[in-house]
Amino acid sequence: DVEVAPRDLVINGRFLAQPVSGVQRYAGEIVRALDTLLAEAKVPNAAGIAVRLVAPPGAKQPDALRAIRFEKAGGGNSHLWDQVTLARAARGARLLSLGGSGPILHSDHLVVIHDASVYRHPELFSRAYGTLHRTLGRVFARTARLATVSHFSQRELAAILGLDPDTITVAPNGWEHLARTSPREGAAARVVGDAPFFVTVGNLTPNKNLAVVVRAFSLLPPGTAKLVVVGRADASIFGEASAGPPNPDIVFAGRLDDEDLAGLLRESRALIFPSIYEGFGIPPLEAMQAETRVLASTADAVVEVCEGVADLFDPHDAKRLALHIRNVLDESPGEREVGIAAGRERLARYSWERSARILAEAILRT
């Protein structure tokens, strides 16, 4: 008998040429964890398989890899790169795409689609982007195997794409990336001085719902606490969302590195996570890792991660959020520790390593 060599595994590295958001964070951390598992021979069915991370020429160099070979191929950084260059590089191999796109006709492809927002909330996207990604999702439902990051997104995608939910692999986000950092001392003092403060993560997409946090702070007596908005946030958006002049208790910190974010979270009274719609949401896990409290919306995927740990509020109810803010400010050290301890326990459900193993077993399954 002729012995057939196992097929290689190619990982779609186009995320390395994109701005870093939650999807790119996910892809990078899964690659990092998978590389460690492969180097330590902890992936079933991986013996004799060469694993390559193939990226466009403008991609950022990933962290040092021990078992995965990094290579650049072709030109450009568009969906055309996926369909032509990556398709050619992955011919005859298994293919893992971690960011919701990839070659549509590849014969052995696992694609991670992070949420169903392009279907449920098309108003959040340009017409071209929404049309493209809705089409990609429907094609992948017929030509590839799918994975996603929460049981909520599994149900959403299955219902929309006409699939059995059990055919969609669930590989959630993790939190260890923040544990690898050293919280930068003095990060809070540089931003808010010695005032009590809360942290939220902001960008311009309406589903992040940062305006409700501004409305909640407008209901508090001036000077009660500061709100530090971390991320790509436009102060004019918040000015429009709030009644009256800009609130001096709201501080826009811009994008921060992990060390500053860890420092801010550790010294904050709580993270406020007000999203209307999420596929998962990493910040609550980051807050739990930093041992701070969490105030979170009742969006389904957020509840999946945070129920029993966070103080939950309807994402449209600024009064309820303002009440939670006051309660956190007034809670005793013992009460605070109960919430923080619940967060530490919740972290045990999630890990980049576990999710990397889930995806590896799914794509390498014989």
Side-chain angles (χ1 to χ4, degrees):
D1 292 341
V2 177
E3 184 174 327
V4 179
R7 284 174 296 156
D8 291 350
L9 170 61
V10 170
I11 302 172
N12 184 346
R14 192 157 77 93
F15 70 90
L16 291 166
Q18 298 169 334
V20 177
S21 65
V23 170
Q24 291 75 30
R25 165 78 77 179
Y26 179 94
E29 292 297 334
I30 290 293
V31 168
R32 180 189 184 109
L34 179 58
D35 182 67
T36 298
L37 291 170
L38 290 166
E40 297 175 0
K42 293 181 178 178
V43 179
N45 302 320
I49 292 177
V51 182
R52 295 180 288 135
L53 174 63
V54 180
K60 298 179 292 292
Q61 184 74 27
D63 292 338
L65 300 171
R66 293 187 287 163
I68 298 174
R69 190 172 83 229
F70 176 63
E71 59 187 57
K72 297 182 180 182
N77 174 32
S78 67
H79 287 282
L80 185 61
W81 182 88
D82 274 341
Q83 305 308 322
V84 178
T85 303
L86 181 61
R88 185 181 300 119
R91 187 176 294 137
R94 298 175 174 92
L95 178 62
L96 174 61
S97 292
L98 296 162
S101 65
I104 58 175
L105 297 179
H106 193 81
S107 62
D108 193 350
H109 194 185
L110 178 63
V111 183
V112 181
I113 300 178
H114 290 247
D115 57 54
S117 56
V118 292
Y119 304 99
R120 296 301 195 202
H121 293 281
E123 73 279 4
L124 300 178
F125 306 94
S126 70
R127 180 176 298 180
Y129 181 96
T131 299
L132 173 64
H133 283 271
R134 285 191 294 273
T135 301
L136 283 175
R138 295 190 188 283
V139 172
F140 288 141
R142 304 294 172 252
T143 65
R145 285 171 286 164
L146 300 186
T148 191
V149 296
S150 66
H151 292 284
F152 166 70
S153 288
Q154 180 192 47
R155 295 191 300 272
E156 288 272 89
L157 290 168
I160 291 165
L161 299 175
L163 299 172
D164 179 344
D166 291 340
T167 66
I168 302 175
T169 299
V170 177
N173 288 274
W175 51 269
E176 301 95 316
H177 57 280
L178 212 63
R180 293 195 301 267
T181 68
S182 297
R184 188 164 286 130
E185 293 185 9
R190 289 194 301 274
V191 177
V192 295
D194 58 0
F197 69 96
F198 295 75
V199 174
T200 191
V201 178
N203 64 33
L204 303 183
T205 59
N207 69 295
K208 297 300 183 183
N209 195 33
L210 298 182
V212 77
V213 189
V214 175
R215 292 198 300 272
F217 267 76
S218 74
L219 299 174
L220 301 172
T224 298
K226 299 284 189 182
L227 172 67
V228 180
V229 181
V230 177
R232 204 167 36 84
D234 182 345
S236 67
I237 298 295
F238 295 86
E240 293 168 5
S242 59
N247 190 331
D249 288 329
I250 298 174
V251 178
F252 295 90
R255 294 187 72 95
L256 299 178
D257 61 22
D258 284 351
E259 288 77 11
D260 273 334
L261 177 60
L264 272 178
L265 287 173
R266 189 168 293 276
E267 296 181 54
S268 72
R269 294 301 178 94
L271 169 80
I272 303 176
F273 195 67
S275 292
I276 295 171
Y277 187 94
E278 289 282 347
F280 185 94
I282 297 177
L285 290 185
E286 293 176 327
M288 293 174 204
Q289 194 282 325
E291 300 197 329
T292 194
R293 298 272 276 107
V294 179
L295 310 181
S297 79
T298 52
D300 287 1
V302 178
V303 172
E304 182 177 322
V305 176
C306 295
E307 189 170 30
V309 175
D311 294 344
L312 299 175
F313 60 94
D314 183 290
H316 304 290
D317 191 345
K319 290 183 179 179
R320 172 61 62 178
L321 175 55
L323 178 62
H324 284 327
I325 291 169
R326 292 191 193 98
N327 289 343
V328 166
L329 289 169
D330 293 339
E331 67 188 357
S332 69
E335 291 170 328
R336 181 173 180 81
E337 177 54 33
V338 169
I340 290 172
R344 282 194 295 264
E345 292 179 10
R346 183 58 48 83
L347 291 178
R349 297 185 185 180
Y350 301 100
S351 110
W352 292 121
E353 178 182 321
R354 182 178 301 133
S355 290
R357 190 190 302 274
I358 288 169
L359 291 172
E361 291 177 356
I363 188 63
L364 296 177
R365 190 178 300 139
T366 54

